[in-house]
Amino acid sequence: MPGFNRRLTRLAPGLALPLSLGLPLLASAAQAQTRPAIRAFELEPAPLAQLPAAPPPIGLPKLQTQVSCPALQQRVQSVLGGEAGVWSVTIADGRGQLLADVNGLRPRVPASNAKLVSTAYALDRLGPDYRLATRLWRLPDGSLRLTGEGDPDLALPQLQRLTKLAMGSGGSSGQPGSQVRLQVAEEPKQAWWPRGWSVDDRYYAYGAPITRLAVTSNAIHDSVLNPPSRLQTLMQRSASQQGGSLQVVFVAATNPVPAEAVLLHQENSAPMHNLLSLANTESHNFTAEVLMRQAAGSWNLTQAQQLTTQWLAQQGVPMQGVRVADGSGLDRTNRLTSRSVTALLLRMDQHPYSRNYLASMAVAGQRGTLRHLYKGTPLQGQFFGKTGTLRGVRSISGVLLTSRGPRYVSAISNGSGNPNTRIGQLLRQAQQTQLCPA
């Protein structure tokens, strides 16, 4: 089985799979939130450096289109019973055989199963060792600029270090009243939330705004509604404690850093494989959104959606009815089919980084959002998956280990009355390998 070698770089070391390993929630960087008004942004999002073309899909197995295991198909239909109309279920094996399929091509709202797409895309494009960077620059005119890539683990200690370096590098004498000029490059306010996110969701931590410089992922107990203002307050407070003064000016992230600028300091995030685990194991929306944008090379969400969709099609995934609206699944206009998710799981198990992808998932009865489900059953420790929950939506998709190799399972319900029980029953049936003779 794949090993999960490290947690976030600022946290304690983890354990190896399949032992229980719950990632902690991100700590708060401040005790209070201030909300002074700042000027409105009317600027375009910044393009990132152009990435090389995605490699062609590797691995020969491709999801077939005809059900090949009538016995399992019958069992699945029996489990769904009268609720079959609100379910999409697909089960395949490692050779790509379609073992069972009910409404597999019917588009459904996937909730956080959409993270299986954004994290696969990020892993393929950026690799498991990629790190998000927060950088402090000295500009040719002597002022400083702070740039970021959405590190979800950025917290007060890192801000204090950046502020201290700014005070020592930007012309401050360290005497009371001395002032350093700092530009902060950020996204415009209208781009902080995907358009499809409910206004009500934006007040909660799971709906926090997506910005490049996000202290504790722009959440304390609830969402931080004005992240730039919070960042400004924290950095100016830190500068004052050091006996200086910080003049903060917000600029568009589209403004390129001058070629003559000098990089003074860089704070790196945890490596990509740890960020993937935060997105999938704990279903962290902010991280999933940032990873999709970085993988696309653009913080313009429309461009990121288009590039993610193109990549998904390049993997041989059936695209009928599929719509990528965001990276987290909080947008209810996302659409996936159980067959598209299963095809992606099959594709990623042939990927050079397949171990990192599997290791990023929750584990039944042991870890993450599956830690309380199927505990004490034959599924415990044998199913690695991603959960998804919105009102009226429940989805669980992933890789089930069996005595005859992996089973790739996707179950998405839009309206089931008892979804967790039915999904457990579906997984137990998929474990019965004798139903599908070779």
Side-chain angles (χ1 to χ4, degrees):
M1 285 300 301
F4 184 82
N5 297 322
R6 289 180 291 176
R7 283 182 172 179
L8 296 180
T9 53
R10 301 177 190 118
L11 303 175
L15 302 176
L17 288 176
L19 298 178
S20 176
L21 174 63
L23 286 176
L25 297 177
L26 296 174
S28 295
Q31 299 299 316
Q33 176 182 344
T34 57
R35 302 184 183 184
I38 62 171
R39 62 185 184 183
F41 291 91
E42 299 294 341
L43 303 165
E44 292 297 322
L48 301 180
Q50 183 66 38
L51 295 172
I58 63 171
L60 297 177
K62 183 177 180 180
L63 187 63
Q64 299 175 8
T65 58
Q66 298 297 319
V67 172
S68 61
C69 184
L72 181 57
Q73 176 76 10
Q74 185 177 9
R75 295 284 187 95
V76 168
Q77 289 174 329
S78 178
V79 168
L80 298 179
E83 279 197 350
V86 302
W87 281 92
S88 291
V89 177
T90 302
I91 303 172
D93 66 11
R95 293 179 295 173
Q97 293 188 106
L98 189 62
L99 303 180
D101 187 79
V102 175
N103 299 323
L105 292 176
R106 182 174 297 177
R108 304 280 189 189
V109 180
S112 283
N113 269 205
K115 293 183 176 72
L116 289 171
V117 175
S118 55
T119 55
Y121 180 42
L123 181 60
D124 179 73
R125 296 303 305 274
L126 302 175
D129 298 317
Y130 182 87
R131 296 171 186 260
L132 302 168
T134 304
R135 298 183 176 98
L136 181 66
W137 304 84
R138 181 190 289 120
L139 304 183
D141 65 359
S143 64
L144 304 178
R145 183 178 297 180
L146 186 64
T147 64
E149 296 176 339
D151 180 1
D153 198 31
L154 185 68
L156 187 56
Q158 289 73 50
L159 276 192
Q160 291 173 332
R161 182 157 51 244
L162 288 163
T163 304
K164 183 176 182 179
L165 290 166
M167 299 304 294
S169 303
S172 170
S173 65
Q175 300 299 318
S178 60
Q179 188 173 77
V180 170
R181 294 174 296 154
L182 176 68
Q183 297 179 7
V184 175
E186 193 50 273
E187 293 298 306
K189 185 174 183 179
Q190 62 267 25
W192 291 353
W193 291 276
R195 291 182 180 179
W197 286 18
S198 164
V199 174
D200 292 337
D201 285 337
R202 300 178 187 187
Y203 289 93
Y204 295 95
Y206 65 80
I210 313 303
T211 64
R212 291 176 177 265
L213 294 158
V215 184
T216 59
S217 299
N218 289 335
I220 303 176
H221 299 295
D222 295 315
S223 171
V224 175
L225 298 179
N226 194 335
S229 179
R230 180 191 182 201
L231 179 78
Q232 178 179 6
T233 297
L234 292 173
M235 294 193 75
Q236 288 180 333
R237 183 181 300 159
S238 178
S240 178
Q241 291 170 350
Q242 298 174 42
S245 175
L246 197 63
Q247 179 188 11
V248 176
V249 177
F250 293 98
V251 298
T254 47
N255 288 356
V257 175
E260 301 82 6
V262 177
L263 179 62
L264 299 177
H265 182 70
Q266 178 169 311
E267 290 281 339
N268 288 325
S269 74
M272 175 65 72
H273 58 83
N274 296 117
L275 297 176
L276 293 173
S277 190
L278 182 58
N280 283 334
T281 296
E282 299 298 337
S283 203
H284 196 246
N285 290 338
F286 181 93
T287 302
E289 294 292 341
V290 167
L291 291 182
M292 187 178 80
R293 288 159 174 77
Q294 287 298 115
S298 174
W299 273 59
N300 181 305
L301 182 55
T302 299
Q303 293 180 9
Q305 292 166 347
Q306 293 171 348
L307 292 170
T308 304
T309 302
Q310 291 172 12
W311 176 86
L312 195 60
Q314 291 166 0
Q315 310 315 302
V317 171
M319 298 298 291
Q320 179 182 347
V322 169
R323 182 177 189 273
V324 176
D326 66 7
S328 63
L330 190 56
D331 191 323
R332 283 181 171 268
T333 65
N334 282 292
R335 292 293 184 272
L336 291 176
T337 65
S338 60
R339 204 177 291 189
S340 67
V341 174
T342 301
L344 177 63
L345 292 169
L346 175 65
R347 154 72 178 119
M348 290 305 294
D349 212 26
Q350 312 301 319
H351 196 279
Y353 303 139
S354 60
R355 289 176 175 268
N356 299 105
Y357 191 61
L358 186 65
S360 74
M361 298 184 191
V363 183
Q366 292 186 348
R367 188 180 75 183
T369 57
L370 284 170
R371 62 186 174 274
H372 299 307
L373 289 178
Y374 319 128
K375 187 182 292 288
T377 75
L379 296 172
Q380 181 170 338
Q382 302 303 302
F383 180 68
F384 294 72
K386 181 73 200 74
T387 60
T389 305
L390 289 172
R391 182 173 297 179
V393 179
R394 184 59 167 164
S395 56
I396 296 181
S397 302
V399 181
L400 175 65
L401 307 182
T402 76
S403 59
R404 289 174 54 186
R407 297 284 188 266
Y408 307 98
V409 183
S410 178
I412 306 173
S413 70
N414 285 183
S416 174
N418 194 11
N420 287 345
T421 298
R422 290 191 189 274
I423 292 173
Q425 293 170 345
L426 292 168
L427 292 172
R428 288 295 305 277
Q429 292 301 327
Q431 279 184 316
Q432 308 304 311
T433 56
Q434 72 276 9
L435 295 173
C436 305

